[in-house]
Amino acid sequence: MTDYQDVFNMLKNHDLSDFTADEEAAVQANIAKMQAVLDNKQVDLLETTINELAASIDAHYMVENDVAITYKKGLIIANKNNCMPSSYAPGESAQAAVAFSQMAADAANEGLSLNDFSTYRSYSGQKSLYDRYVAADGQEAADRYSSRPGCSEHQTGLAFDIGGSNSAAWAETTFDDTEEAIWLANNAYKYGFILRYPPGKESVTGYMYESWHYRYVGDIAKTIYDSGKTLEEYLEVE
């Protein structure tokens, strides 16, 4: 149940300040429902209840009755097999931004510079980027390093492309062996981030190794990090 509690801690602290009264009421009702499930140790209801909570939050950011978003253990899944509607536009996660700022500050205390050079990206923004890559390298090659519109983690607002002080190495393989990349690989989980596309896992994630691409998942990051698994492997999704 710890996994669900960790994700619940993240979801229940979502900023609802711009939600309508009805939207906020729906979220609060699902928070209360999830808390009751945890308190009563109703294991058989955990998955359904936390996914309902996540969906009630995300409903604010998309057109009503649009294509459904996929969740597992309350975490939104964005990959080649699980995409989002074009209307889904949550913006950059405030919780993730705060966590990154703390991580960057701690890294700076160790003499390292971390820069979040690409975070939230809209459906249309991803389409423009993907189309440009296809035009340059062909679709087969582009699909190894860029998501098709609607399938990008950046659209969730939870993906952070992180670089060091040398901007020339941002989103480049030259970042892989830098002090910043090594520090991130060993410490990002402490702040709720996981390396989303690790080396040797392209057959699982669908994307080549990206030492700069991190996904915010909150407290559950340590559990995923300790498991040595990708998000797909940990959540048992394709």
Side-chain angles (χ1 to χ4, degrees), residues 4 15 17 19 41 52 64 71 79 81 114 136 143 145 160-161 216 226 229:
Y4 292 94
D15 181 10
S17 59
F19 280 44
K41 296 181 171 58
E52 287 176 350
E64 188 175 1
Y71 304 94
N79 60 20
N81 299 313
L114 298 182
D143 280 340
Y145 64 83
F160 277 53
D161 284 343
Y216 183 74
D226 288 343
K229 296 178 179 179

Side-chain angles (χ1 to χ4, degrees), residues 19-236:
F19 280 44
T20 66
D22 286 346
E23 289 173 336
E24 182 174 357
V27 173
Q28 294 296 352
N30 281 319
I31 287 175
K33 185 177 178 182
M34 185 63 193
Q35 187 64 66
V37 167
L38 288 167
D39 291 345
N40 295 318
K41 296 181 171 58
Q42 295 172 289
V43 178
D44 57 322
L45 297 179
L46 286 169
E47 182 71 16
T48 299
T49 307
I50 200 163
N51 288 343
E52 287 176 350
L53 170 56
S56 67
I57 293 172
D58 281 336
H60 172 72
Y61 303 108
M62 55 194 287
V63 173
E64 188 175 1
N65 297 323
D66 210 334
V67 179
I69 290 174
T70 302
Y71 304 94
K72 189 70 181 290
K73 291 188 177 180
L75 295 174
I76 186 170
I77 308 300
N79 60 20
K80 291 183 176 180
N81 299 313
N82 299 279
C83 301
M84 299 156 286
S86 59
S87 67
Y88 182 60
E92 181 183 273
S93 165
Q95 289 185 63
V98 169
F100 173 79
S101 294
Q102 183 60 60
M103 181 167 68
D106 289 348
N109 288 335
E110 297 184 36
L112 301 175
S113 176
L114 298 182
N115 296 276
D116 53 340
F117 62 87
S118 181
T119 58
Y120 171 70
R121 195 178 301 145
S122 67
Y123 180 98
S124 60
Q126 183 64 33
K127 184 178 186 304
S128 296
L129 191 64
Y130 177 76
D131 288 348
R132 189 167 78 241
Y133 290 146
V134 170
D137 298 327
Q139 189 170 63
E140 183 176 354
D143 280 340
R144 293 188 61 207
Y145 64 83
S146 181
S147 300
R148 297 187 182 192
C151 306
S152 172
E153 279 210 324
H154 285 282
Q155 192 180 338
T156 70
L158 298 166
F160 277 53
D161 284 343
I162 304 171
S165 56
N166 178 17
S167 60
W170 291 357
E172 298 289 345
T173 56
T174 49
F175 179 66
D176 297 355
D177 297 319
T178 63
E179 287 185 278
E180 292 93 344
I182 294 169
W183 189 92
L184 281 168
N186 292 324
N187 294 281
Y189 74 90
K190 300 173 184 176
Y191 305 88
F193 291 92
I194 58 170
L195 179 63
R196 190 63 181 85
Y197 307 125
K201 293 291 187 175
E202 184 173 351
S203 63
V204 177
T205 65
Y207 298 100
M208 58 194 295
Y209 172 43
E210 292 189 351
S211 59
W212 56 87
H213 185 112
Y214 282 80
R215 159 75 184 268
Y216 183 74
V217 293
D219 293 341
I220 200 174
K222 184 181 186 308
T223 304
I224 298 175
Y225 173 84
D226 288 343
S227 75
K229 296 178 179 179
T230 65
L231 188 62
E232 281 84 2
E233 290 170 325
Y234 185 77
L235 296 178
E236 298 181 341

